Amino acid sequence: MSYAAQTPQRPLPGAYIQTPALNRYQSAPRRQSFTRTNPTSSSPQDASQNLQQTGGQQSRQPEQVEAKSATETLNPVSRASRTINEMLDSESKYPELDTYIGQGVSSEYDASTSAAWAPFEKIKVYPIPDSIFEQYNRAQVSTMMGLFADLNHAWITIDNACYMWDYTHPNPNLVGYEDQPNSITAVRLVVPRPGCFVPAITRLLIIATTVEMILVGVSVQTRPTGGSDISLFQTRMSIPIKGMNVSVIEGSTASGRVFFSGTTDNDVYELTYQQEEKWFQTRCAKINHTSRGISTLAPTLTFRQKPPQEHTVQIAVDDSRKLVYTLSTKSTIRTFHMKQNGTLDLVILKPLNQTLSNIGHMTSQSDLISTDMRIVAIHPISSQEASKLHLLATTSTGCRIFMSATSNYGYSITDPSKNAPSSMQVQHVKFPPPEPVVPQGGQQSSTQSNTFGNGQGINTSSKSLKLTRNAARYPPGYFFCFVSRHPQDQTDILFIAAPDVGRIARPQETSRLSRFAELGLWVSLGSRAEDVGLASLPFSAAPSPLGFANELAVQYDKPTSDVAVLTNTGIHIFRRRRLVDMFAAAIKYGVGDEGLEGEVTKFIRLYGRSETTATALAVACGQGLDITADSRVATVADPEILEHARKAFIEYGGKPLFNENPALNQSLSAVDLVRPSPRHEGLSLYVARLVRSIWRAPIVVESTSPSGGLTVTPSVSMEKLREVQESLSKLQDFLRRNKSFIDGLAGPEALGHVSTKHEEIALQAEHRALHALVVLISSMIEGISFVQVLFDERIDEIMLSLPNERRQQVRSLTYEGLFCSATGKELAKELVKSIVNRNIANGSNVDTVAEALRRRCGSFCSSEDVVIFKAQEQLKKATEAGSSSEFGRNLLNESLRLFKQVAADLSMEQLQWAVDQYVSMQFFAGAIQLALCVAQEMDRGNRALTWIQEGRPEQDSRAAVFAKRKKCYDLIHRVITALDRSASQAPDFVDGQFTLASRRRAEAYDVIDTSEDEVFQTDLYDWYLAQGQADRLLSVNSPYVVTYLQRKSSDDIAHADLLWRYYIQAERYHDAATVQLALAKSTFPLSLDRRIEYLSRAKANASTNKPGLGRQTRQTLLREISDLLDVANIQDDLLQRLKGDNRIAQDRKPEVVRELDGPILGLTELYNNYADQAGYFDLCILIYQAADHRNPTDIRATWQNLLERTHESTVERGEPQPYEAVIESIRSLGSRLNLSGPTFPISDLIPMLERYAFEHQRGLGPPTWVIDTFLDLGVPYESIWPVLGTLFYNDEAPFHGRNRRYIANDVLYVAQRWFHDSSRGTDHLFGGEPNASEVLEMLTVLERTALDQEKAQESQVLRMRIDQLLR
């Protein structure tokens, strides 16, 4: 039975195999760079149609970059890290204020009546305490109210007293100032001049009365339960101001300067104060900065002509530009420049008519812009927030006028303390919103909004803010406008506008500028507003205009902004609503699924799909906030809302897009051509926003304590880290619970929705991107846990325990590096090890500490780390037990076993610590074993050995591997030094037994000698030689010694000498002879004597018979050595002769000596270049012998030349007798030639010498000196006898006739000597009867023919004796 073949199961996403059809994409991947893009839809219906299309995605477009990038080789954490960095960089490019508030006018608002879309919400109303009303009822002259909002305090003046209270406290205590009798006209809280007061005084309360202006010190103490308490201190500083009626006071936060003005004139004064009185300067004074300035710039407006009713109503300070702005009752704006020398120069005067003239060039006639209006408030815009815009002026008609001040240097004033602006122009006018429309029934659906200016033209006639009484602006653009419906109305309506950051952040078409989009909110206060203030820290998402106003980026990272509004009924707190809060509220107020879909559609239309998914994810993870019925701010935890947010993230996340654009680099892999889904970007955005405050921050900050010690603190508070970790953990849990529903994380079931190969590749890329983020999230959670563990310990002690290099690396380590880089992980492990070591040192159990670390940050404390910690603990216990005890030795062996088990994971610091401990306990063998084991684990491929064998080439990567191993070997060298020092201090034997020290030494050297680590052995031998301990190599019993010395011998003669010495000590004489022969033949700069010495030693060693070596091998070597030694001796003779030869020129002699006193030359060169040319015939004969030259003619001629040269030179010298010199020459050569037949031809030499003696030395010397010479050399009688016989019988000149008797006498002499020598032994006479018969016959002939009578008688006697012996 058979079955149809099943369709092969596809691999999981992330593991696809590319098909041949896509080969045009198969190549090295490239690095992708993305920018956020969001095509817009003109209507909600368009957005609905595009919900499932990539055209509505706010995604990143791949750019054309080089194909060879690390995209494919990046690990998941590195890939996710790159994505987070791209997100953070993208968000740092949020548009500057100047880009969407440009030249022109606008009136675009989205003032929805739905609470879900409100930019602010009232979270609390704090009532005014009854005690205040009690004091108020006692007022007789005047009262004023105001806020110190940044301290959460309010104040009220009642006649001569000023009372302050913490309005957030349910039962606040009144803090009053009643120490003066005059009515108070103005109150201001400023920052004092640095260094003027004690550090506890952080604020300065300026109280202006009808008579004087008083300075009161303010100290602020934060309560543990929240809120703050203030204390007042007398400063004894005041100035007289009688008659000025001061109504306006303002201070510079940066410099502490205080400016004020009154209602009696339009002058600007400065209150100066200092710690002590100086010459011509009191502690407190006032300076008028304006009189001369005004007359200079506007000579027609003298103080006498100035209407008395004009005075300053507001002073505003811009510390970022060193500017002070004033607003007068006639809506004249003046700009002053604060100079470094303490002066205040009037640089710009902007009357209302000039302002109206500027606006007239931007828009047609409008009832809102006319001479009837007035400016009610001015608000500086800092250089941190905008480059061009300087000031916002709000008119009584509700128009906002944005102004810029320029100088000769343009907008970018590089140094505001030196360069002041010279003119001011209107840049933009924002007209009021339309009148609020309330539909019938008083309700408005969540999707309806009162929008004006978006495609409907600009409304320049709205009177919704006609009776604006006051206004305030706070960065990054929060606008609070207080409006009275009727001139006599005592209640205000508050209009709040705030930037719609989502729409501003969303890129527009290139042909359009970003729009000044705002969200509006109308609030009825029910009473009159007295003051408004920012109750939280000033907003700042970046230190520069680019990115400054990006509230989206910090909505999960920084507290939201709170604004307090003081009315005569209480303090209203308005909190800025984040986009995540709006989304949660939109879901909450949506009606059914259709309502939910409408809200999500609106979000996508306004803010893009990526921002929508990021916001939905944040709500689903519990980031949304809402106001409860009892006015508490609580996290949105409604299960229905969280479920809808979850569905929005999953269902509206879009899909990845495969881009087949042929213009893209065709060498890219297919996966790299996929743009991940908006869901991926939304997840990336959310993660980036969670960690933005810690991502690039250093982990530790070092400082010096007052006592001079080291203080280490976290750069990010532990509370902030816990918040980030909690948010990441919630996100991790969300992704884990919903991964089956998310394409890219769902697993194999997601493949069921794939219908094409392109979709399959897109899903692969989506999985790769999402999986990388999931891994990074896990890494960040664990990394934060590690930082928490680190600061739970004594971090300052841990930092001090680190090496300087590691400590510097830890100081510069950021959270990004800790989460994502291999270096960060290694540094973290080093810190973990320091933590454990510190706990072990303090007596903690290693298992307990390690388990706690593994539970909280497992990847930083691996199983190998635990083994290391246990080994360290065992070693510490062994130290306590003592190395001499059995228990201590067992602990040492156990620690060694554990260390060797994790040798590959031991750092050099850990190894060094362990070795030092072992040495201190005299566990030398263990220290050496551990170091050897670690070295081998560092280089399992033994690359260092191949590098050594190849001659240690430079610029080779293997050199670094050897350097790592050498650090371990250096530790062993230290151990050996300590071992030898310890052994030298104790005897080897005591009572015939080995001492403990000697046994430990033997154990250690046994480990060394038996080590199979050739790299170690090589390094050890190098160390021995460097220490001048070359003889130690001779006692090493290791096969690597020979290998080492052989390798070194080719480059160093000292190593070669050690090698043959080692061979001799090991009784390897043949090998020693081989090395010595090689040295004699080497190119080392050796003298000839050294070479002859080597050859002599080699000959002796080669002659030594050693069992196991073949005779032929030994004989071959011996023959080579002997032959070379003969040549060397001849060369030495030549050298000595030439040194004393006066025939050689003095300038030539050193060269000749240098040529001969070195390498052994060839025989041909010695003969042709030296011996023959110099006439050294005896040496020529020796060369014949060495060269086995057998030509008798050459040999005979050379002997003849030798005789002649010897005779001539002796005659020239006069001594000795010539025959004596000849005898010496013959004897010397005979012995050196070994009486060799070819070169020492007896048949030629005897006749030659006989003729010489007859012709040149007749009658001189013994008559038989020729025969004696040969007999003394040991020439056999058998060789001499026939030569003499032939010479006698030939009868040739000069031995013929009577002269034959000379030869006959020599024959007789030889016969006598021969008889004498042969008759004394046991041998036959004359060697045998044939020789004896021949002698008898010869003697008979001599008696008859050649001998005289005396000699004939001697011959007869000899014959008789011979006959007797023969019988």
Side-chain angles (χ1 to χ4, degrees), residues 960-1253:
V961 179
F962 173 77
K964 290 181 180 180
R965 295 181 66 166
K966 192 175 188 316
K967 291 181 180 179
C968 301
Y969 303 147
D970 290 341
L971 292 177
I972 298 177
H973 301 162
R974 289 168 48 187
V975 175
I976 295 174
T977 302
L979 169 63
D980 292 342
R981 183 170 55 251
S982 175
S984 64
Q985 297 173 356
D988 291 339
F989 299 93
V990 173
D991 297 333
Q993 299 292 326
F994 284 104
T995 61
L996 180 60
S998 63
R999 288 201 301 270
R1000 288 174 176 171
R1001 187 177 189 276
E1003 290 175 359
Y1005 276 103
D1006 182 65
V1007 173
I1008 293 173
D1009 293 341
T1010 58
S1011 172
E1012 297 181 356
D1013 185 351
E1014 187 174 349
V1015 180
F1016 160 66
Q1017 297 287 2
T1018 300
D1019 182 76
L1020 176 66
Y1021 305 150
D1022 285 338
W1023 182 71
Y1024 280 158
L1025 294 178
Q1027 298 295 314
Q1029 301 176 353
D1031 290 342
R1032 296 188 67 165
L1033 291 181
L1034 304 180
S1035 61
V1036 174
N1037 183 19
S1038 171
Y1040 298 113
V1041 177
V1042 174
T1043 304
Y1044 169 80
L1045 292 176
Q1046 286 176 343
R1047 186 184 303 119
K1048 293 285 188 176
S1049 296
S1050 59
D1051 302 321
D1052 187 4
I1053 189 171
H1055 290 88
D1057 283 337
L1058 283 174
L1059 179 58
W1060 64 258
R1061 289 174 61 192
Y1062 184 85
Y1063 281 142
I1064 291 176
Q1065 185 161 321
E1067 297 183 353
R1068 296 170 59 178
Y1069 301 110
H1070 182 271
D1071 294 330
T1074 303
V1075 175
Q1076 290 165 337
L1077 173 62
L1079 280 172
K1081 297 166 64 177
S1082 69
T1083 58
F1084 288 128
L1086 296 173
S1087 66
L1088 186 59
D1089 289 341
R1090 286 284 303 276
R1091 297 178 190 273
I1092 293 174
E1093 179 185 352
Y1094 283 130
L1095 289 172
S1096 300
R1097 292 179 180 272
K1099 186 174 183 180
N1101 290 323
S1103 301
T1104 303
N1105 189 14
K1106 182 71 175 178
L1109 183 66
R1111 180 178 180 181
Q1112 182 178 358
T1113 303
R1114 183 167 59 85
Q1115 290 297 329
T1116 301
L1117 177 62
L1118 183 60
R1119 175 62 182 272
E1120 182 181 0
I1121 294 172
S1122 300
D1123 290 347
L1124 189 60
L1125 181 59
D1126 291 340
V1127 176
N1129 286 326
I1130 294 171
Q1131 183 171 330
D1132 185 57
D1133 290 339
L1134 275 171
L1135 175 63
Q1136 302 308 321
R1137 294 271 188 93
L1138 290 171
K1139 283 182 179 180
D1141 198 328
N1142 296 327
R1143 296 175 298 170
I1144 305 176
Q1146 292 300 319
D1147 57 345
R1148 167 67 177 154
K1149 185 173 290 187
E1151 181 181 354
V1152 173
V1153 172
R1154 185 172 60 254
E1155 292 172 355
L1156 289 175
D1157 193 14
I1160 300 174
L1161 305 177
L1163 290 171
T1164 301
E1165 186 175 0
L1166 292 175
Y1167 181 84
N1168 293 331
N1169 296 345
Y1170 301 101
D1172 186 53
Q1173 290 187 16
Y1176 300 148
F1177 300 113
D1178 53 342
L1179 298 183
C1180 290
I1181 295 170
L1182 291 175
I1183 292 174
Y1184 294 156
Q1185 170 74 8
D1188 197 20
H1189 183 70
R1190 296 173 178 270
N1191 189 323
T1193 304
D1194 295 339
I1195 295 171
R1196 188 183 307 111
T1198 304
W1199 275 106
Q1200 186 63 45
N1201 292 334
L1202 175 61
L1203 287 178
E1204 294 175 1
R1205 175 62 61 84
T1206 303
H1207 177 79
E1208 293 172 358
S1209 61
T1210 306
V1211 171
E1212 291 177 2
R1213 292 195 303 270
E1215 59 177 356
Q1217 290 296 331
Y1219 78 89
E1220 293 176 345
V1222 171
I1223 292 173
E1224 180 60 29
S1225 178
I1226 296 297
R1227 286 179 176 175
S1228 174
L1229 276 176
S1231 63
R1232 292 185 65 178
L1233 294 174
N1234 245 351
L1235 303 181
S1236 174
T1239 53
F1240 196 81
I1242 303 300
S1243 58
D1244 293 330
L1245 291 178
I1246 292 176
M1248 193 180 300
L1249 288 179
E1250 290 288 359
R1251 282 194 291 271
Y1252 169 76

Side-chain angles (χ1 to χ4, degrees), residues 64 67 73 320 330 344 693 715 718 756 760 796-797 850 886 1011 1021 1123 1325 1347:
Q64 295 188 35
T73 59
S320 67
K330 291 188 176 182
L344 189 70
S693 62
S715 65
M718 291 294 102
T756 65
E760 182 178 319
D796 49 350
E797 295 181 5
E886 182 180 357
S1011 172
Y1021 305 150
D1123 290 347
L1325 188 63
L1347 294 175

Side-chain angles (χ1 to χ4, degrees), residues 576-648:
R576 171 64 161 150
R577 299 182 75 239
R578 306 167 300 168
L579 191 62
V580 62
D581 303 329
M582 296 180 185
F583 189 86
I587 296 176
K588 178 179 179 180
Y589 298 130
V591 181
D593 292 340
E594 293 183 1
L596 173 63
E597 182 179 352
E599 294 295 342
V600 175
T601 301
K602 181 179 179 180
F603 259 85
I604 294 175
R605 175 175 58 84
L606 293 177
Y607 308 125
R609 192 180 296 271
S610 296
E611 191 65 58
T612 301
T613 53
T615 307
L617 178 61
V619 173
C621 292
Q623 291 288 350
L625 298 177
D626 198 6
I627 307 300
T628 62
D630 57 352
S631 299
R632 290 186 302 105
V633 179
T635 301
V636 175
D638 187 340
E640 186 176 355
I641 295 177
L642 299 181
E643 175 61 20
H644 284 311
R646 184 191 73 86
K647 292 175 62 177

Side-chain angles (χ1 to χ4, degrees), residues 273-321:
Y273 55 95
Q274 57 190 9
Q275 191 173 19
E276 298 177 353
E277 292 187 2
K278 298 180 180 179
W279 287 100
F280 308 109
Q281 289 184 353
T282 61
R283 292 185 65 200
C284 196
K286 67 177 184 291
I287 301 174
N288 189 329
H289 286 294
T290 55
S291 295
R292 203 175 83 177
I294 294 177
S295 61
T296 301
L297 289 177
T300 58
L301 297 175
T302 64
F303 287 106
R304 290 173 299 175
Q305 296 174 344
K306 183 174 62 176
Q309 68 273 17
E310 183 178 12
H311 61 271
T312 301
V313 295
Q314 184 182 355
I315 299 176
V317 177
D318 181 1
D319 281 318
S320 67
R321 295 187 173 95

Side-chain angles (χ1 to χ4, degrees), residues 220-231:
V220 182
Q221 301 88 32
T222 303
R223 293 191 299 268
T225 57
S228 58
D229 295 324
I230 62 174
S231 302

